[in-house]
Amino acid sequence: MRWQNQTLDADDGALPGLDRAGFVRTVQTPEFEGITFHEVLCKSALNKMPESSNLPFHWTINPMRGCSHACRYCFARPTHEYLDLDAGRDFDSQIVVKTNIAAVLRKELGRRSWHHEPVALGTNTDPYQRAEGRYRLMPGIIRTLTDSGTPFSILTKGTLLRRDLPLLTAAARQVRVSIAVSIAILDMDLHRSLESGTPSPKARLEMVRALADAGFEVNVMVAPVIPYLTDGRAHLDALFAAIAEAGAVSVVAFPMHLRGATRGWFLSWLAEAHPALVRRYRQLYGRGAYVTPEYASWLRERVQPLLHRHGLTREHTSEPQAPPSTPLPNDTQLALFA
């Protein structure tokens, strides 16, 4: 591997928060220009969700922290501040990689106390972001979960998942495997502006088709719906039509929320790209993270008939993945993002 500018000194004064994360070294490589990887040794792979979270799973795995997908609306941005990194550009470019996660997971799943409860991946940052192509953490995680008889779900925007499709197909013969794909934007100009590091909507639709052809019942997360930008009837109708054509069985759609530092990061983009909308956003979100109840109700009334029209309301026979922007209490956030 052609690593350059490797730093092995674990006492990195510029990144004091990483000391708490088992920091080993910082790595930069020409294949990932503008991105810095911070390799850490995690003490645990499984994160227990508190009972108050009301989610359809009680355990999560997060192989990385930070995400090069660079979605301006990403709800997980504030978690980077726990590492004394900022929630803006640092979140997009300073990626923390848990290099030993598969080995730690195998030990945890081998305990007598493990009851083979469903495990969710993709609840924080995307496990199939570009860094996975370098570190290849997911094959080990998938094999470990499968070998232990543990059902699991994956939520991703990353088309790198197609590399592991044979492995996932084999796993599904032994345990319950649920896969959801996130596609929130169909307009290419808006896609490039808001989620510049993600694969194109077309590439993700092709991944949905590949998953459906492999026998998976694919749920698509049209989330978040971005007020006044992606909530138009024509945009949603075209997006749902493309998703149905790709072979998905269902769609979940709900409005964007702007929690913590994500709010400022998104609104700074909005002021530059769509300044006429800033006042409307202040009214819609007030001082909080969520849209008004009136807007949420309006959006449901717009979305539901379109979903029925395109046959995207079927239920899964496997356990669905919860959406990444499901509002969670503060104590739940820490469990998700560890």
Side-chain angles (χ1 to χ4, degrees), residues 70 75 206 215 263 302:
F75 82 108
E206 291 172 350
R263 179 186 178 97
R302 166 158 290 185

Side-chain angles (χ1 to χ4, degrees), residues 45-47 57-61 105-121 140-154 167-168 170-178 319:
L46 290 167
N47 307 305
F57 49 82
H58 299 298
W59 300 90
T60 66
I61 298 173
L105 178 63
R106 186 168 295 277
K107 291 181 180 179
E108 292 178 331
L109 298 184
R111 296 170 181 166
R112 291 184 179 181
S113 59
W114 178 244
H115 298 299
H116 305 90
E117 298 177 71
V119 173
L121 293 105
I141 292 171
I142 293 168
R143 290 190 185 97
T144 300
L145 290 166
T146 304
D147 291 346
S148 71
T150 300
F152 62 93
S153 59
I154 297 172
L167 187 60
L168 289 165
R173 299 190 188 105
Q174 301 181 56
V175 298
R176 188 170 68 252
V177 178
S178 178
E319 185 166 344

